[in-house]
Amino acid sequence: MSLIKRLRDAFRPAPSRPQAQARVTSAPPPPDAEAEAGLRARLEEDPNDVEAFSTLAEIVRRRAAEVEHPDPLTADVAPVTSSREADTAHWALAEELAGRPRGWYPLIELARLSLEDDKEGAMRRLGAACERETSGLALIEGIKMLRAAHLPAEALGLGVGHWSPAEQSPEAGRQIVEAALEAGRVTDARRHLRDLAELSTHHDTPRIVAELEPFVARAESDASTAD
């Protein structure tokens, strides 16, 4: 079952049942409850705190995955790992934070979680993240994610649609050039490298251009030899 369908099922309202008497429990809070509270406070201040989000996501995934099931042989109750519950908890966290007007990184996480089952929806979320964050950070994260998923053409398309070399970090330009090379688009790689060199005034631009130049030149040489 796809993640998107599992999430729809998880968030579908359950049939109404007669209200049961509230169960009173004296169970202690989870040992990481204080850490979780601190991470949520950080994300309340900045929903794009990548470190806080990643750590909190690990906590909610681990906690959601520890579902107690009885051992049929001993009748003992033991936790078992469930990726379904972990994915649902991760999605819920990202969706909650993506509701903040400034929350671009949670959109990246939602795209990551939905990429395999809903690539079109994932690309829309990445585009929305890049519209919320215009310095290039969201673009860098989005392109990296797509390249890691072996989708360099989609990464290049995202870059072309949202890159502003004169205003954004030159690292965004690096990611676009590398995505073009991975997609076999050598002419595009040269053009984007030229735009980066000519339009970006960031102090790191000359270094990044110098680092990329040998790779673009080698790809051009290989393409020429193949012809």
Side-chain angles (χ1 to χ4, degrees):
M1 185 186 298
S2 71
L3 172 61
I4 299 300
K5 186 175 188 305
R6 295 203 309 265
L7 290 167
R8 290 197 192 104
D9 291 344
F11 291 115
R12 183 178 294 132
S16 59
R17 297 178 180 177
Q19 186 171 4
Q21 184 176 359
R23 178 181 299 177
V24 178
T25 177
S26 58
D32 50 12
E34 186 175 348
E36 178 184 359
L39 292 167
R40 288 189 180 277
R42 284 171 58 180
L43 289 167
E44 185 68 29
E45 285 289 321
D46 179 9
N48 306 307
D49 186 328
V50 178
E51 181 184 15
F53 184 97
S54 300
T55 305
L56 182 55
E58 290 177 6
I59 291 174
V60 298
R61 288 185 66 89
R62 182 175 65 249
R63 191 176 298 162
E66 292 177 350
V67 182
E68 293 187 342
H69 290 281
D71 186 319
L73 297 179
T74 66
D76 291 336
V77 174
V80 296
T81 300
S82 171
S83 60
R84 173 179 176 175
E85 283 76 10
D87 287 345
T88 301
H90 193 161
W91 180 280
L93 173 64
E95 192 170 50
E96 174 191 348
L97 294 170
R100 315 285 175 80
R102 296 186 299 116
W104 61 266
Y105 184 75
L107 286 169
I108 301 286
E109 284 295 302
L110 289 175
R112 190 193 315 277
L113 289 166
S114 60
L115 183 60
E116 182 177 352
D117 300 319
D118 181 18
K119 186 168 76 172
E120 183 178 343
M123 295 302 297
R124 286 197 302 270
R125 293 178 182 101
L126 292 176
C130 293
E131 290 171 3
R132 288 185 180 185
E133 199 290 314
T134 58
S135 74
L137 291 177
L139 185 58
I140 292 168
E141 290 292 334
I143 294 177
K144 282 183 177 179
M145 190 202 75
L146 292 169
R147 291 177 60 202
H150 307 292
L151 295 171
E154 286 79 358
L156 179 59
L158 180 70
V160 170
H162 295 278
W163 187 39
S164 178
E167 300 170 357
Q168 295 178 339
S169 165
E171 283 295 333
R174 181 204 295 276
Q175 291 296 322
I176 292 170
V177 172
E178 291 179 346
L181 292 175
E182 291 173 2
R185 307 269 286 274
V186 180
T187 301
D188 288 340
R190 171 56 70 186
R191 175 164 54 86
H192 294 314
L193 182 60
R194 184 170 57 249
D195 288 346
L196 178 63
E198 294 177 356
L199 300 177
S200 176
T201 59
H202 194 279
H203 64 85
D204 279 342
T205 299
R207 173 181 60 81
I208 292 173
V209 170
E211 291 172 354
L212 290 170
E213 174 61 37
F215 295 99
V216 175
R218 185 179 309 150
E220 288 174 330
S221 177
D222 291 345
S224 177
T225 300
D227 293 340

